[in-house]
């Protein structure tokens, strides 16, 4: 039973398209995240979100937007895709703020290729 | 400006020997450090962590050491096993942050049988 699942696993699309990546967690966590693994393999935070607060990494273009229909889901919408958006995107979740455990649980990643 | 650095992109170790993976950080406001392990085509999985108030944490074959004055932490795996072959990411959390982690670029560990 997958704790954090994201779909699709692979996504190939043309420049200029709009696409979404879905993420769901069944851990009962309050906080979810999107990370981008760039070509240099760094995992960089894009967004963190709980039901009260969205924190956006200032380097993320506004073409990227998270959408959370409920606590268990945090989808990533990307408008007007560009070649440089090609990367692996990871969704993650962690326990609510104020708890001691900090570790985040990750999905398996979505490899986005923009052609 | 990378605040968490793993300067060795790869490391090869013989099975049964010790693997030592290193990580340096620049921000003294980090208060919690974690190691994640990642297999190909999978997401990172949590391995072990350490609070900044400690200098060592051990869990089975895995031990993490923290040297705050040097802003350096290391992960020791002993004895190393072929199944340990993976990419290891060091991560750090800023105190008071919304739990988001800053990751290093990873070290590919290969344990040779």
């Amino acid at each position: 039973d997958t704790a954090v699942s994201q779909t699709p696993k692979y996504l190939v699309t043309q420049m200029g398209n709009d696409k979404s990546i879905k993420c769901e967690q069944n851990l009962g966590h309050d906080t979810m995240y999107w990370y981008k693994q760039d070509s240099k393999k760094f995992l960089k935070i894009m967004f963190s979100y709980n039901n009260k607060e969205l924190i956006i990494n200032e380097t993320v273009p506004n073409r990227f937007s998270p959408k959370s229909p409920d606590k268990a889901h945090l989808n990533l919408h990307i408008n007007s895709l560009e070649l440089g958006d090609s990367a692996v995107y990871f969704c993650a979740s962690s326990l609510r703020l104020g708890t001691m455990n900090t570790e985040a649980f990750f999905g398996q990643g979505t490899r986005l290729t923009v052609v | 400006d990378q605040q968490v650095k793993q300067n060795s992109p790869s490391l090869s170790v013989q099975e049964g020997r010790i693997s030592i993976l290193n990580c340096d950080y620049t921000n003294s406001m980090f208060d919690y450090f974690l190691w994640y392990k990642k297999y190909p085509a999978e997401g990172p999985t949590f391995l072990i962590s350490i609070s900044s108030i400690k200098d060592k944490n051990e869990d089975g074959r895995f031990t993490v050491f923290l040297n705050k004055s040097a802003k350096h932490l290391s992960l020791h795996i002993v004895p190393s096993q072929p199944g340990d072959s993976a990419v290891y990411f060091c991560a750090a959390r800023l105190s008071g942050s919304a739990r988001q982690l800053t990751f290093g670029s990873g070290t590919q560990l290969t344990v040779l049988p």
Side-chain angles (χ1 to χ4, degrees), chain B residues 19-100:
Chain B
S19 296
I20 300 176
L21 297 106
N22 294 305
C23 178
D24 297 295
Y25 62 95
T26 57
N27 194 330
S28 57
M29 296 302 291
F30 287 136
D31 68 348
Y32 201 78
F33 302 89
L34 307 90
W35 284 94
Y36 280 80
K37 178 178 178 180
K38 184 183 179 305
Y39 292 116
E42 294 183 11
T45 55
F46 170 73
L47 188 59
I48 192 169
S49 62
I50 188 167
S51 166
S52 60
I53 61 174
K54 296 186 175 180
D55 55 17
K56 178 182 175 180
N57 187 26
E58 189 173 353
D59 183 3
R61 296 186 298 113
F62 302 91
T63 303
V64 56
F65 295 92
L66 176 62
N67 182 333
K68 283 184 65 178
S69 61
K71 293 191 175 67
H72 177 84
L73 67 155
S74 61
L75 174 68
H76 292 211
I77 307 172
V78 56
S80 302
Q81 300 174 354
D84 296 330
S85 297
V87 177
Y88 289 79
F89 288 96
C90 171
R93 185 191 75 175
L94 277 172
S95 62
S97 75
R99 298 195 164 275
Q100 56 196 42

Side-chain angles (χ1 to χ4, degrees), chain A residues 14-17 63 78-86 112 114:
Chain A
Q14 289 187 324
M15 281 176 55
N17 284 350
R63 297 181 295 103
I78 316 170
N79 295 323
S80 303
L81 277 156
E82 299 177 358
L83 293 176
D85 298 333
S86 297
L112 171 65
V114 182

Side-chain angles (χ1 to χ4, degrees), chain A residues 4 8 25 27 66 77 80 86 94 99 103 105 112:
Chain A
V4 181
Q25 55 95 3
L27 298 166
H77 293 261
S80 303
S86 297
S94 65
T99 60
E103 56 265 29
F105 292 78
L112 171 65

Side-chain angles (χ1 to χ4, degrees), chain B residues 93-112:
Chain B
R93 185 191 75 175
L94 277 172
S95 62
S97 75
R99 298 195 164 275
Q100 56 196 42
L101 301 173
T102 301
F103 282 83
S105 56
T107 297
Q108 170 71 57
L109 172 66
T110 302
V111 180
L112 305 168

